[in-house]
Amino acid sequence: MPANLTAEARAKLAKYTAAKTIEEKIKALQEFLSVAPKHKGAENLLLWATRRLAELKEELERERRKRQSGRGPRIFVEKEGAAQLVVIGPPNAGKSLLVQKLTGARTKVADYPFTTTLPVPGMLKYEDIYFQLVDTPPLTEEAPQFVSRVAGLARNADGILLVVDLSTGDPIEQYEKMRDILAQHGVLVEKPRGTVKIEKGGSGGIDVIMVNGGKIVDGTIKDVEKILASYRIYRARVIISGEVSLEDIELAIFRPLTYKPTIVLANKIDVPGAKERYKKLYNYLAERRDKSVWLLPVSAKYGVNLNKLGELIFKRLNIIRVYTKQPNGEPSKTPLVLPKGSTVIDVARKIHSDLAEYFMYAKVWGPSAKYPGERVGPDHVLEDGDIVEIHARR
Ligand SMILES: Nc1nc2c(ncn2[C@@H]2O[C@H](COP(=O)(O)OP(=O)(O)O)[C@@H](O)[C@H]2O)c(=O)[nH]1
Ligand SMILES: [Mg+2]
């Protein structure tokens, strides 16, 4: 068993997973921490439990304040447009000015830190779609009160724009600090070798599903069942994507990790010394294993490269635009936005579940069609710019 917990400690964690209210969760975690072994094999879980406890206490405090005042600050931002991206960065990096210049949103810009305390959204136009950019409070250890709020916004978004300030300090350090703070809160900006998703419940048994070359590097499916059983989980779907370890699986029970496609915006490229700092960061990111983090030097102040961001986001998110049409009608003006690799039946499903159920065939015009109006089946893979006409039984 990876974490080598005592039966007592395990029982406390089981109590945590079963807890319904914040108060119950806090109590269970406190009990867990008081009995948890302090040895090396349990380090990650202890770290997680300590952080989670702090988060829950904060949540409780927020709830309390909300009850008192009738309504609390708006933590989550309703999604609009093709995708939502949170703009995250240290104090004074230029987050607010970037969002303002890119979207016209009226968010406060000032040369003193902590001007932005609530998330502010704006829309960035890219050709015929919009991306929603959300300005956020600063992410730094010096302002712990914002950390879980910013991480929460990131977890809920489709992607992250990580702003690094080229006018001061070491850009690599800035990047690593933010990456690590987010990771501690379950948000990954670098693509991991593998991910685990555990959906509790279901009809019965533990169902381990491997996708995208899913593989457990140090164990078997039997080991997974044993780990889950030790937390009294007997019914669940465990979805493994890529390479994962048994410890990854154990941690996923309590700390779901989610990976978000990320672009680093190296801001203030206009200031003296910024180019050298940018070079350092460029070389550093280019050496990373998978190059999943992209980089764009910008100047919010002088508008440098801001016109390139829309296309970069579009490519980074791996999405396509598909236009639907009725027989004899015109293609829709606004496209549906879908993940790359989506098929005709995905489009049908997105329009209406009935359309998918009674699907007969589709006609396709555009990049994926062999000829204009090609007749295709449900599994035909679409490309950006395709026009689709779906025919269903009535
Ligand atoms: N020279 C320069 N200054 C910038 C740039 N972007 C932002 N600033 C300045 O940096 C300060 C902080 O900007 P702000 O957008 O409020 O940062 P935030 O705290 O990250 O939201 C302000 O004085 C901005 O005018 C830039 O690209 N170049
Ligand atoms: Mg700001």
Side-chain angles (χ1 to χ4, degrees):
M1 210 62 46
N4 287 319
L5 290 182
T6 59
E8 195 188 9
R10 259 170 219 286
K12 300 296 182 201
L13 278 184
K15 204 167 141 195
Y16 165 79
T17 48
K20 294 273 181 308
T21 67
I22 300 180
E23 283 93 341
E24 282 169 17
K25 285 182 187 169
I26 289 179
K27 188 151 174 282
L29 274 186
Q30 280 168 335
E31 288 174 13
F32 166 72
L33 283 167
S34 68
V35 300
K38 305 285 183 280
H39 58 71
K40 185 105 177 70
E43 245 172 16
N44 277 331
L45 261 177
L46 282 179
L47 218 62
W48 164 81
T50 315
R51 290 219 178 81
R52 186 74 191 115
L53 185 60
E55 262 176 29
L56 285 167
K57 282 183 175 164
E58 211 178 287
E59 228 169 275
L60 189 66
E61 184 50 35
R62 265 207 304 271
E63 294 270 304
R64 256 187 214 137
R65 254 182 274 137
K66 203 153 84 185
R67 254 176 269 136
Q68 275 164 10
S69 71
R71 54 183 218 116
R74 212 156 60 116
I75 310 294
F76 288 100
V77 178
E78 189 88 32
K79 281 189 188 182
E80 271 178 69
Q84 183 188 66
L85 294 107
V86 279
V87 180
I88 292 177
N92 269 324
K95 301 176 290 299
S96 294
L97 191 59
L98 274 166
V99 171
Q100 200 177 87
K101 288 282 179 78
L102 288 161
T103 71
R106 266 178 283 148
T107 171
K108 232 197 259 172
V109 177
D111 57 3
Y112 51 90
F114 308 116
T115 330
T116 312
T117 53
L118 289 177
V120 181
M123 304 304 284
L124 165 68
K125 193 172 183 333
Y126 168 63
E127 296 184 348
D128 54 358
I129 57 174
Y130 285 89
F131 295 117
Q132 185 187 38
L133 306 190
V134 181
D135 188 14
T136 66
L139 184 70
T140 163
E141 279 149 355
E142 275 92 74
Q145 72 272 29
F146 297 132
V147 169
S148 68
R149 194 185 302 174
V150 173
L153 287 165
R155 202 173 303 124
N156 191 48
D158 303 301
I160 297 175
L161 301 176
L162 213 52
V163 184
V164 161
D165 187 345
L166 292 177
S167 76
T168 171
D170 180 355
I172 297 173
E173 216 169 88
Q174 291 179 45
Y175 167 78
E176 287 186 334
K177 272 209 178 122
M178 291 192 283
R179 177 196 63 192
D180 294 347
I181 295 175
L182 288 171
Q184 285 160 10
H185 286 79
V187 179
L188 305 178
V189 300
E190 291 176 6
K191 195 167 187 201
R193 250 178 248 280
T195 56
V196 185
K197 197 162 153 207
I198 298 179
E199 297 167 359
K200 283 177 223 161
S203 50
I206 301 291
D207 205 2
V208 179
I209 302 156
M210 305 284 192
V211 298
N212 298 328
K215 190 178 159 197
I216 305 165
V217 292
D218 56 354
T220 63
I221 289 180
K222 270 261 155 306
D223 295 324
V224 176
E225 288 171 357
K226 265 193 231 158
I227 291 175
L228 292 179
S230 76
Y231 294 106
R232 299 190 203 148
I233 299 168
Y234 305 106
R235 290 183 304 176
R237 272 156 54 94
V238 181
I239 302 150
I240 295 174
S241 166
E243 291 184 9
V244 305
S245 68
L246 289 176
E247 191 183 11
D248 293 333
I249 294 168
E250 183 158 5
L251 278 169
I253 300 172
F254 310 102
R255 189 188 65 171
L257 285 176
T258 115
Y259 160 64
K260 297 293 172 185
T262 297
I263 298 171
V264 172
L265 297 179
N267 191 33
K268 311 195 187 179
I269 191 72
D270 57 280
V271 303
K275 295 224 161 53
E276 289 66 45
R277 289 198 174 97
Y278 170 73
K279 269 241 162 65
K280 269 181 75 177
L281 185 61
Y282 175 91
N283 290 332
Y284 167 88
L285 285 175
E287 279 164 19
R288 315 266 332 145
R289 176 168 46 84
D290 58 2
K291 302 185 175 51
S292 62
V293 176
W294 292 8
L295 176 64
L296 183 70
V298 294
S299 165
K301 192 169 178 178
Y302 297 102
V304 179
N305 280 344
L306 297 188
N307 58 346
K308 297 199 177 128
L309 186 59
E311 188 182 355
L312 207 62
I313 291 173
F314 186 79
K315 290 195 169 139
R316 187 64 196 81
L317 293 181
N318 257 318
I319 48 184
I320 58 168
R321 289 164 295 184
V322 173
Y323 303 79
T324 55
K325 78 184 265 310
Q326 305 273 353
N328 305 319
E330 287 294 308
S332 60
K333 284 268 176 310
T334 38
L336 289 174
V337 175
L338 300 141
K340 215 181 217 166
S342 291
T343 60
V344 164
I345 199 74
D346 294 327
V347 170
R349 224 175 270 130
K350 193 144 181 175
I351 298 169
H352 200 285
S353 57
D354 280 355
L355 203 55
E357 194 172 334
Y358 299 116
F359 180 90
M360 287 200 305
Y361 67 93
K363 285 171 140 188
V364 178
W365 292 258
S368 82
K370 285 199 202 85
Y371 51 87
E374 187 195 357
R375 191 173 156 142
V376 300
D379 299 328
H380 176 84
V381 176
L382 294 163
E383 281 175 43
D384 184 43
D386 277 345
I387 298 165
V388 179
E389 179 183 292
I390 291 170
H391 293 256
R393 275 177 285 123
R394 323 181 135 258

